[in-house]
Amino acid sequence: SLQQIEPGLGGYFQFWFEDQVKVWGDRHEREPRVRALMALCSLAHGPLNTEDIQGLAPEVFDSRWAVEETAHDLRRLVIGDGRNQGYIFGHPRLADFVREEKLEDRERIAHEQHFLHYGKRVIEEFQSGQRGKVPEYVVRWHSTHLSETGMPCADFRLFLNAWWCAEWERVDGTPAGFL
């Protein structure tokens, strides 16, 4: 009941998680995926599609089905379908709460590294011709992840070329976000 929930977002979130564990029953193998998706959504700067999530945490999300099942478990908190609309917390304060209150430092740092490695990998695949296009999330947000983690200026050089400008135009309809 509402009277048993601690006031604030933390109380609601704890109530939700305890309720979710009851729903899962004996299927506790879902908890690591739920934690991973919550962590990724809390650190993301925009919606993540299924391909992004699989690329960011392939050891946890080895299939589209694993991502969709986890998103279904989080449907009270996370919106999107992973295809037409990427997954994102339904309220930005949920992302803040998970990032600041639920993630351990080592977990946050590990997931931040996942964002850096994912962006670098897909850009290298695109440059080498192994990939036809760069995912929208990487186009829009990879430079922000680089900046937030204090990467050197040299790491930003890969964005200073015509193909990166073309990717921005493809994603945004304009090159306005290019620089």
Side-chain angles (χ1 to χ4, degrees):
S1 80
L2 287 176
Q3 295 170 343
Q4 297 171 325
I5 300 174
E6 294 271 332
L9 195 55
Y12 170 77
F13 194 80
Q14 188 62 37
F15 172 79
W16 171 85
F17 198 76
E18 289 170 5
D19 187 55
Q20 191 64 49
V21 169
K22 289 176 193 170
V23 170
W24 290 332
D26 293 335
R27 298 172 300 172
H28 292 285
E29 76 277 356
R30 292 165 98 157
E31 186 174 342
R33 288 191 302 207
V34 166
R35 283 191 65 81
L37 186 55
M38 288 191 313
L40 293 173
C41 286
S42 76
L43 294 168
H45 294 288
L48 296 168
N49 69 30
T50 301
E51 176 190 3
D52 296 322
I53 293 165
Q54 288 180 273
L56 286 161
E59 69 285 352
V60 179
F61 298 104
D62 58 354
S63 68
R64 174 179 292 277
W65 176 83
V67 175
E68 290 173 355
E69 180 182 59
T70 306
H72 181 76
D73 287 343
L74 289 169
R75 67 189 173 277
R76 289 193 227 165
L77 306 174
V78 173
I79 59 173
D81 62 10
R83 294 180 190 137
N84 299 316
Q85 168 64 43
Y87 298 112
I88 193 165
F89 278 112
H91 192 288
R93 288 201 48 216
L94 286 170
D96 295 341
F97 176 76
V98 170
R99 186 176 52 254
E100 295 165 11
E101 302 293 331
K102 289 297 183 187
L103 289 183
E104 296 175 17
D105 286 343
R106 64 172 178 74
E107 204 175 6
R108 181 186 46 76
I109 290 167
H111 285 295
E112 287 172 347
Q113 290 299 308
H114 291 293
F115 277 96
L116 294 176
H117 295 303
Y118 172 60
K120 182 180 180 190
R121 185 178 71 250
V122 299
I123 290 169
E124 288 172 353
E125 290 170 359
F126 178 78
Q127 288 177 314
S128 69
Q130 298 171 12
R131 176 183 285 273
K133 62 182 181 177
V134 177
E136 181 176 346
Y137 185 86
V138 174
V139 172
R140 291 186 185 277
W141 301 110
H142 184 59
S143 63
T144 301
H145 287 286
L146 289 172
S147 179
E148 287 177 342
T149 53
M151 300 308 280
C153 290
D155 287 1
F156 292 84
R157 286 191 186 125
L158 63 100
F159 303 120
L160 302 175
N161 55 57
W163 67 262
W164 190 253
C165 183
E167 283 299 288
W168 260 104
E169 282 193 69
R170 178 188 59 78
V171 164
D172 202 40
T174 174
F178 170 58
L179 293 177

